[in-house]
Amino acid sequence: MKKINLTIFVIILSGFCFPLLSQENKLIVKTEEGKDTISKYIYGHFAEHLGRCIYDGIWVGEDSPIPNTRGLRNDVIEALKGINLPVLRWPGGCFADSYHWKDGIGPKENRPPIVNMFWGNVTEDNSFGTHEFLDLCEILGTEPYIAVNVGSGTVKEASEWVEYVTSDNDNPMSRLRKQNGREQPWKVKFWGIGNENWGCGGNMDASYYASLYKRYATYCRAEYRIASGGLNDDPAWTETVMNSTKNHQDLIQGYSYHHYTVCNTWEKKGSATNFDENEWFKTISKNFQMEENLKEHMAIMDKYDPDKKIGLYADEWGNWHDVEPGTNPGFLYQQNTLRDALTASIYLNIFNNHCDRVKMANIAQTVNVLQAMILTEGSKMIKTPSFYVFKMYKVHHDALLMPLEITCEDYVLNNQRIPALSASASKNKEGQINITIANVNPEKSIPTDLTIDNEKYRVTGSEIITADKMNAYNDFDKDEMVYIQEFKSYKQKGNNIQVTLPSKSVVLLTLSEK
Ligand code: AHR
């Protein structure tokens, strides 16, 4: 039996744990002990010039037969509005360090094409650039997060981009913006200084990048400048960047961190839809591993920034499967099943529970790429199981994190074990408590004893995402298989709620004051 306080969540992949009796699954919500806010930016997204994310997925152009607003797909906009995107990161990803923003402004017929060297070597006509991206953000009511080019760009190019977008002084860049039809500056708070500069962003050493970072950040006058960070379990990069900026913390407001879950190997990742319980288990246990990796990076940040002024921005995360058979391997188009919904729930619970440091997260990616919210095929569109998790979790946006004590049984397969439950809780501005819980066991429903430390709350809402099969997914021209349904398997008595969490499910319970 393990008692797991979510703030010090421990994953035990092997060991001596005896399976718990079902009545020992317990959650206790401490309704008066909240102190940290779950930033809505944790529910952010990422849209790169990659495959069919931008072109086809978001942008079809004004002349397309697909209904659009100034070239942006209406169906996709409408769907995305349903999950209140708080922030959208663009233009990459690897693409960012090959992108020269001036090629993407002005009359479309004058824009030079660009070959997308990282993703399929396809030629893009640059019809989607700064103005189109910021138009999308305005339509969606989302905050833009722009990554500048460090790998193949210059400090001048980057600082001019910030000026072009945000300056209201009279200067060459604001004149150029006005000449291109935009009188008022846009409000863009978030600027990333490069992307994965240890890899596709220039294959730099950490110390070289750290020096460059300070140079770029000095001239990019933005409210939030975000340093490009390490990947999964590489703390050395974090150590170097934090150390190098320790006497210049006015230049760094965020530190980026990427975490992808690959079920097998990078060469053979595994099918998005055709998998067995072994692969389910492997994926879910690697999802949980995110917390350990995160904690390692946060401990380094704590050393240099004990007051937690610098936010950790998990600005790429999610499951990375093999591409769908027959599709361009460089386009990273994958389907999305109930397994991905569980993944989204686990990651988001982890981010919520560490919101004192995690200030933003951006799932990769919004449309048609990796763990997408939306898939399109010509004029058709579907919402994925991951979309529905983001819809369900809207309740946590800017809500106060409630400490949650969780004691749970293990999910055991082939003598390996991981916790069967993942959860987080928050209190919103109206005083409602929202608890999100995932049961990751695909075979077993779990009776759980939920205690609220205060008598005044009663359950006023409950939802579930589940399906009959662990690889259920939504497909074109078919009825949806995975979506949000009403959840009824609970019974409240005083401040105690007996909940039966169905196998492979994500549940939301909302409690209001009596
Ligand atoms: O999201 C796909 C790619 O993954 C991004 O371009 C890159 O930053 C990461 O390696």
Side-chain angles (χ1 to χ4, degrees), residues 46 48 50 89 92-95 119 195-196 198 200 231 258 260 316 320 332 364-365 369-370:
F46 169 40
E48 179 169 9
L50 195 177
R89 178 172 180 254
C94 293
F95 180 80
W119 307 115
N195 170 78
E196 295 193 355
W198 44 266
C200 61
L231 180 77
H258 294 175
Y260 285 105
E316 288 185 30
W320 194 320
L332 310 186
Q365 299 194 8
V369 170
L370 299 176

Side-chain angles (χ1 to χ4, degrees), residues 311-324:
L312 190 139
Y313 288 28
D315 56 16
E316 288 185 30
W317 65 269
N319 284 341
W320 194 320
H321 307 301
D322 285 338
V323 299
E324 287 306 305

Side-chain angles (χ1 to χ4, degrees), residues 22-27 437 446-452 459 462 487-502 507 509 511:
S22 55
Q23 64 268 28
E24 288 172 312
N25 291 294
K26 285 196 176 101
L27 282 113
I437 319 165
I446 299 186
T448 304
D449 183 300
L450 172 63
T451 302
I452 313 296
V459 180
S462 50
F487 175 65
K488 294 191 181 132
S489 302
Y490 66 88
K491 221 178 228 160
Q492 179 159 14
K493 207 168 175 204
N495 65 339
N496 182 269
I497 306 155
Q498 295 294 322
V499 195
T500 304
L501 298 163
V507 164
L509 289 175
L511 292 97

Side-chain angles (χ1 to χ4, degrees), residues 360-372:
M360 189 191 286
N362 309 70
I363 187 169
Q365 299 194 8
T366 318
V367 188
N368 290 334
V369 170
L370 299 176
Q371 193 174 340

Side-chain angles (χ1 to χ4, degrees), residues 283-495:
T283 304
I284 300 291
S285 55
K286 288 183 177 189
N287 297 156
F288 274 125
Q289 188 59 41
M290 164 62 160
E291 187 164 36
E292 292 312 299
N293 296 152
L294 200 61
K295 279 179 0 195
E296 198 174 8
H297 292 272
M298 291 190 305
I300 298 167
M301 293 179 78
D302 286 350
K303 246 184 0 187
Y304 295 99
D305 172 35
D307 297 334
K308 301 193 194 310
K309 290 195 180 125
I310 304 169
L312 190 139
Y313 288 28
D315 56 16
E316 288 185 30
W317 65 269
N319 284 341
W320 194 320
H321 307 301
D322 285 338
V323 299
E324 287 306 305
T327 64
N328 187 329
F331 280 16
L332 310 186
Y333 175 74
Q334 63 190 43
Q335 248 297 354
N336 193 297
T337 68
L338 181 60
R339 175 176 61 168
D340 297 289
L342 269 293
T343 293
S345 165
I346 293 166
Y347 271 87
L348 291 171
N349 287 333
I350 293 171
F351 297 143
N352 286 349
N353 289 320
H354 291 285
C355 67
D356 58 336
R357 178 65 83 180
V358 180
K359 298 296 178 194
M360 189 191 286
N362 309 70
I363 187 169
Q365 299 194 8
T366 318
V367 188
N368 290 334
V369 170
L370 299 176
Q371 193 174 340
M373 301 295 106
I374 285 168
L375 302 177
T376 66
E377 203 179 80
S379 63
K380 293 182 246 171
M381 188 205 81
I382 52 170
K383 296 169 183 166
T384 65
S386 300
F387 171 95
Y388 285 110
V389 174
F390 273 79
K391 187 166 183 183
M392 176 185 269
Y393 275 60
K394 280 196 299 186
V395 293
H396 290 308
H397 290 201
D398 283 339
L400 189 66
L401 178 74
M402 295 286 101
L404 184 63
E405 212 175 272
I406 172 167
T407 310
C408 73
E409 65 185 65
D410 286 336
Y411 161 36
V412 185
L413 192 74
N414 301 331
N415 293 324
Q416 294 200 306
R417 52 185 70 233
I418 54 175
L421 303 182
S422 153
S424 65
S426 69
K427 189 195 278 184
N428 67 17
K429 298 204 169 64
E430 290 71 46
Q432 286 176 320
I433 307 282
N434 286 293
I435 307 155
T436 44
I437 319 165
N439 171 6
V440 307
N441 191 321
E443 296 297 336
K444 184 176 174 225
S445 69
I446 299 186
T448 304
D449 183 300
L450 172 63
T451 302
I452 313 296
D453 69 352
N454 193 317
E455 294 270 342
K456 68 183 177 189
Y457 295 101
R458 67 183 162 78
V459 180
T460 50
S462 50
E463 296 177 349
I464 185 165
I465 298 169
T466 191
D468 289 347
K469 293 189 181 150
M470 62 185 168
N471 61 348
Y473 60 93
N474 298 333
D475 206 353
F476 298 97
D477 298 323
K478 296 200 178 122
D479 288 343
E480 282 193 325
M481 303 300 289
V482 192
Y483 52 96
I484 297 176
Q485 301 178 58
E486 201 189 338
F487 175 65
K488 294 191 181 132
S489 302
Y490 66 88
K491 221 178 228 160
Q492 179 159 14
K493 207 168 175 204
N495 65 339

